[in-house]
Amino acid sequence: MAEPQLDRIAELIAPLRIEPGERVRLRRDHDPGYTAGLDRHRDGEDLLQRGVALLADHQARLAAESTRGVLVVLQALDAAGKDGTIRHVMSGVNPQGVRVHSFKVPSAEERAHDFLWRYSGRLPARGEIAIFNRSHYEEVLVVRVHPELLDQEHQPPAPRGKELWQRRFRAINEWERQLTEDGFHIVKLFLNVSKDEQRKRLLARIDEPAKNWKFSASDLAERKHWADYQRAYADMLAHTSTKHAPWYVIPADHKWFARIAAAAVIADTLIGIDPQYPTLDRKGRRELRQFRGALEKG
Ligand code: AMP
Ligand code: MG
């Protein structure tokens, strides 16, 4: 791949990254309608296709190398476009090398374990890309907005205020650090949709019969907690964006841009890993020549 394209990816994603310890003010500093000066018709399709091709090439090498793995964490409020982003961004990769896990309301068995248990069972193997469609971060988002959920999590008696969330942030950071040190690269995307755009998309789920199945009454209930979610997201971003596992805030009011930006962030991670096809040593090459000789004899 030519250098200018790499520069372009780096340039595109840098403003979206949350630096460790950065103060996060979503409303003020992160416009959901941002498009980096790109034009949908001029740049949209072409950039996405290039990102998808880059991902496919690197994913094939990641799988062949089977040393490192990648975890993509996707978080967002309802109707921000998580499913469509996964569908488009991963459209070029070999399905054998990618697993998508969608985390819903936890089961009784999951709730009976420590809060990271169900997520640790779904991590990628070496050579794989795993995508968490919702993730361990729900444990500091939906659970924070609805602390009554903690009662179902069988928590031991302990302070439930700010301290609990600080403790969870610390546990998550340590868990992610340990995974990174063991060869698993983590990249985290928050699809940032505006309240007005969410309203339009939820209306479309009601008005368009083919989208009716997507509508859930709980989407409306959660929308009432919009401000609480914004606060929980901002605090989570500020405390869990680390050098080893950074958060990117992906402007999500324009689906075409969100897809390009998500592809760019994941491509950048894979380019950073630079996985290589394994090469044979002299003995291996000699053996191959012998196999070739045997095959040539018929
Ligand atoms: P969806 O992504 O639209 O299929 O919805 C999944 C639902 O599961 C959402 O309403 C989430 O808030 C909920 N959910 C996901 N993880 C958790 C969790 N750890 N605790 C409680 N609810 C969760
Ligand atoms: Mg939903």
Side-chain angles (χ1 to χ4, degrees), residues 78-79 82-83 104 134 202 205 214-216 218-219:
D78 298 300
K82 294 193 299 299
D83 299 321
K104 313 270 179 189
R134 298 187 191 269
L202 292 178
R205 289 181 179 183
K214 275 198 155 192
F215 186 80
S216 151
S218 79
D219 295 349

Side-chain angles (χ1 to χ4, degrees), residues 78 82 103-106 118-119 133-135 138-139 142-143 149 153 205 218-219 222 229:
D78 298 300
K82 294 193 299 299
F103 292 100
K104 313 270 179 189
V105 177
R118 73 162 170 163
Y119 311 98
N133 181 354
R134 298 187 191 269
S135 68
E138 289 295 339
E139 306 293 340
V142 67
V143 182
L149 289 170
E153 288 190 1
R205 289 181 179 183
S218 79
D219 295 349
E222 290 312 286
Y229 272 109

Side-chain angles (χ1 to χ4, degrees), residues 204-217:
R205 289 181 179 183
I206 293 171
D207 294 340
E208 296 175 31
K211 291 186 177 173
N212 284 172
W213 66 275
K214 275 198 155 192
F215 186 80
S216 151

Side-chain angles (χ1 to χ4, degrees), residues 243-260:
K243 197 159 183 310
H244 54 278
W247 272 109
Y248 289 83
V249 178
I250 306 290
D253 273 7
H254 299 286
K255 288 180 180 173
W256 65 269
F257 181 74
R259 289 165 188 169
I260 290 173

